[in-house]
Amino acid sequence: MGRFHRHADGTEHEHDDHEHEHDHRDVGDHSGYVETGPSRVAVLESILSENDRVAERNRADLDRNGVWAVNLMSSPGAGKTTLLKRTLVALGEKCRVGVLEGDIATSLDADQLSGLGAAISLVNTSAGFGGECHLDAVMVRSGLSRLPLDAIDLLLIENVGNLVCPAEFDVGAHARAMVYAVTEGEEKPLKYPVMFRSVDVVLVNKVDLLPHLDFDLDRFFTHLQDVNPDVRVIEVSAQTGQGVDEWCAWLGAAGR
């Protein structure tokens, strides 16, 4: 039995031994799943079903208050927080922004975003949520309770840095975006297809470093198109500000 997951469009399935065969390398002994497989799928279905019910409640609360929400995901160190700092400055008074900051521990990222005009709610998954490597709908609902939704137009949810689990959980956002750093290698869409397939826009970050890297941007784009041919791509540098205006324009257009 392969990995069970649900796509952004609501469809769900397992990948069996013959699906997506990119090569014929030995990937290890999975015989331990023979007896636990059906139970594992049932548990995952139950978890995701309950999560989805809470996610719908989150989305309904956001809609009731006229808030458009984006779930922003990436691997650790891809530059989400730095990009958010640029975003808050660029948006200025054009839009009332809230940030729901997700981290396993510490307030380091939330502290960086304070004082930039956004209402901020911090969710540490180690504080009563088991130290999970992602945000789920229940965690986001907890964070929403500490935000003035009636005074926010746009909510940016900075998920925990992880290229696997965050993509599997609907948190109640209206759109999904991911920050991908060129320092991560061209092959990541092939290695983490669920994440790249689940998002509406990919922000290719740290492009200012391209002259100093052995990185094939065209090859990355080819891999990305193989996984998600309709995804929007914006090249950005959170360090220099390149592409931030285009990203903010996408936020404005998509939220209308």
Side-chain angles (χ1 to χ4, degrees):
M1 186 198 76
R3 184 173 180 80
F4 168 90
H5 71 266
R6 176 178 288 120
H7 292 295
D9 62 4
T11 60
E12 53 189 46
H13 65 273
E14 301 170 31
H15 291 299
D16 60 29
D17 293 336
H18 303 290
E19 192 173 0
H20 301 317
E21 291 186 351
H22 294 291
D23 54 40
H24 301 283
R25 294 178 182 174
D26 181 8
V27 294
D29 179 10
H30 294 175
S31 60
Y33 282 107
V34 172
E35 295 182 2
T36 62
S39 298
R40 180 172 181 267
V41 170
V43 169
L44 283 170
E45 287 180 331
S46 177
I47 291 172
L48 289 173
S49 295
E50 177 59 26
N51 179 83
D52 288 351
R53 281 192 288 273
V54 178
E56 286 303 323
R57 292 173 61 194
N58 291 347
R59 201 155 22 244
D61 287 349
L62 293 167
D63 289 342
R64 190 177 305 112
N65 287 278
V67 181
W68 191 71
V70 179
N71 184 6
L72 187 62
M73 301 174 284
S74 81
S75 62
K80 291 193 306 298
T81 306
T82 304
L83 179 64
L84 281 178
K85 290 171 65 177
R86 285 276 187 182
T87 302
L88 295 180
V89 171
L91 289 174
E93 298 181 357
K94 302 174 187 174
C95 180
R96 300 177 299 172
V97 184
V99 176
L100 195 154
E101 178 62 46
D103 260 318
I104 294 176
T106 80
S107 63
L108 293 174
D109 289 349
D111 292 343
Q112 289 191 57
L113 299 174
S114 65
L116 297 177
I120 299 174
S121 177
L122 173 63
V123 176
N124 280 150
T125 68
S126 62
F129 296 114
E132 293 286 3
C133 57
H134 60 274
L135 293 177
D136 63 21
V138 173
M139 300 174 199
V140 168
R141 188 156 192 82
S142 172
L144 290 179
S145 69
R146 297 187 294 276
L147 284 170
L149 296 183
D150 59 348
I152 292 173
D153 303 309
L154 170 67
L155 176 64
L156 299 171
I157 301 170
E158 182 174 2
N159 217 308
V160 179
N162 187 324
L163 281 183
V164 181
C165 302
E168 298 181 336
F169 288 84
D170 181 3
V171 297
H174 301 93
R176 293 181 172 195
M178 77 167 292
V179 180
Y180 159 84
V182 296
T183 50
E184 298 179 68
E186 306 99 333
E187 78 287 353
K188 290 302 182 290
L190 301 181
K191 294 181 68 175
Y192 301 97
V194 176
M195 171 61 77
F196 284 89
R197 187 185 297 125
S198 73
V199 298
D200 303 291
V201 60
V202 173
L203 303 162
V204 181
N205 191 27
K206 305 187 182 182
V207 293
D208 54 299
L209 296 180
L210 285 174
H212 311 288
L213 300 173
D214 181 16
F215 179 87
D216 190 332
L217 189 60
D218 289 337
R219 178 177 294 179
F220 166 76
F221 286 144
T222 297
H223 293 331
L224 180 59
Q225 288 295 305
D226 287 343
V227 171
N228 190 348
D230 298 321
V231 72
R232 171 75 178 272
V233 177
I234 303 175
E235 296 181 31
V236 301
S237 168
Q239 188 66 35
T240 68
Q242 176 183 339
V244 171
D245 287 344
E246 184 179 353
W247 157 238
C248 290
W250 181 87
L251 287 172
R256 285 197 289 269

